[in-house]
């Protein structure tokens, strides 16, 4: 395995994320304090204080796995392996499932590790491009064509999509899962943004409910707004795959933080309330975004995201990184140039999950009006 290249988005955030309070490109939704989370249910503080800090189990506690099974639309505790963040799931899946020389297909642009880890392992990677001129729309014929050319080991997708906010219709999603399953490839479905569709009925069924060989990734970092817990999970109905992924965890974190597991249980028991707040904020912020982009249509080509806390407008003039540098220097608003995504040059990622997004848009508007 060769060393993965630097993760451009993570390096960009590491250098800027806390430089100003006006972060208008985060993919997580408004976060909360430990106290706010514990206040969601009686007895949560006492349970936390009584927690023993020994090692936990490799797969994670039964209660948490059962809650996750429910969150992933009707799966069971046995279908779940708890991980330390979504990122670890991508790592254990790639280590457990891929070998040098395997052909894999990755929907792109995407969160870099979905492309980079298969490449580091020595896989032959074909990218399946989202149509950025149509908000990230899918071309299923193109996927069928890629699958027909050679035997494919795995197909990586992510919906709601980072960075466009695209969400396929249920029919498209079923067609995609069927296409991949019938080809013999394994579907890796990154469902990091589950819970951020406009309402419950708009959420897609988790991939393993449609195909028992599929593996999905979930986490508490985005719609539940708890990235600091570093807690995620792999879900599949293929026990052999889960066992192999669990064995890979012995070389990364062994088990997750007991404190995070306990707090994740509290969050998932109260998911309806947390997601209700998330969806309300996203609706408000989508309106602020719509006003801003309408007033600045000479600078941006904007398509409203179907789901999720992010969108990926195209900048009409100049480079996205020059624009982001200038905006940060002149008004302190942090934007993410699309160049950090392979295939995303010329676009900027905006984040709509934070409470201060309307204020950030106002600052950006007054900065642009000065030029
Ligand atoms: C699509 C996608 N997958 C996985 C991750 C990693 O999640 P975590 O921060 O929980 O490790 C992210 C984070 O931004 C993401 O956008």
């Amino acid at each position: 395995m060769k060393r993965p290249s630097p993760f451009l988005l993570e390096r960009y955030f590491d250098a800027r994320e806390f430089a100003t309070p006006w972060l208008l490109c985060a993919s997580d939704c408004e976060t909360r304090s430990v106290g706010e989370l514990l206040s969601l249910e009686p007895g949560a503080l006492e349970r936390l204080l009584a927690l023993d800090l020994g090692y936990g189990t490799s797969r994670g506690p039964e209660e948490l796995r059962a809650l996750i099974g429910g969150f992933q639309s009707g799966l069971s505790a046995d279908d779940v392996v708890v991980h330390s963040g979504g990122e670890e799931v991508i790592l254990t899946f790639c280590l457990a499932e891929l070998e040098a020389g395997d052909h894999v297909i990755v929907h792109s642009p995407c969160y870099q590790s979905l492309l980079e880890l298969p490449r580091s392992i020595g896989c032959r990677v074909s990218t399946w491009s989202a149509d950025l001129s149509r908000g990230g729309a899918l071309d299923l014929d193109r996927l069928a064509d890629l699958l027909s050319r050679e035997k494919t080991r795995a197909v990586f997708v992510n919906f709601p999509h980072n960075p466009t906010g695209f969400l396929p219709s249920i029919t498209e999603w079923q067609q995609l899962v069927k296409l991949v399953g019938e080809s013999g490839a394994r579907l890796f479905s990154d469902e990091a943004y589950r819970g951020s569709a406009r309402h419950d009925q708009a959420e897609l069924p988790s991939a393993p409910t449609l195909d028992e060989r599929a593996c999905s990734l979930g986490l508490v970092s985005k719609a539940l707004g708890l990235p600091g817990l570093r807690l995620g999970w792999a879900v599949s109905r293929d026990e052999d795959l889960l066992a192999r992924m669990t064995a890979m965890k012995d070389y990364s974190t062994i088990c997750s933080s007991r404190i995070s597991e306990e707090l994740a249980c509290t969050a998932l028991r109260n998911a309806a309330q947390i997601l209700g707040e998330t969806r309300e904020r996203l609706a408000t912020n989508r309106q602020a975004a719509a006003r801003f982009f309408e007033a600045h249509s000479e600078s941006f080509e904007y398509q409203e995201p179907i789901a999720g806390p992010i969108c990926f407008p195209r900048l009409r003039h100049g480079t996205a990184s020059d624009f982001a540098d200038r905006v940060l220097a002149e008004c302190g608003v942090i934007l993410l140039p699309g160049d950090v995504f392979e295939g995303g040059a010329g676009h900027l990622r905006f984040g709509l999950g934070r409470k201060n997004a309307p204020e950030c848009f106002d600052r950006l508007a007054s900065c642009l009006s000065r030029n």
Side-chain angles (χ1 to χ4, degrees), residues 209-224:
T209 64
L210 303 176
D211 175 350
E212 66 180 28
R213 291 184 67 242
C215 178
S216 72
L217 168 166
L219 37 74
V220 298
S221 310
K222 307 298 180 185
L224 291 164

Side-chain angles (χ1 to χ4, degrees), residues 27 85-87 90 111 158 162 190 192-193 217 219 221-222 230:
S27 60
E87 182 73 291
I90 303 172
Y111 190 64
N158 156 234
N162 175 8
D190 181 330
Y193 296 92
L217 168 166
L219 37 74
S221 310
K222 307 298 180 185
R230 309 306 307 125

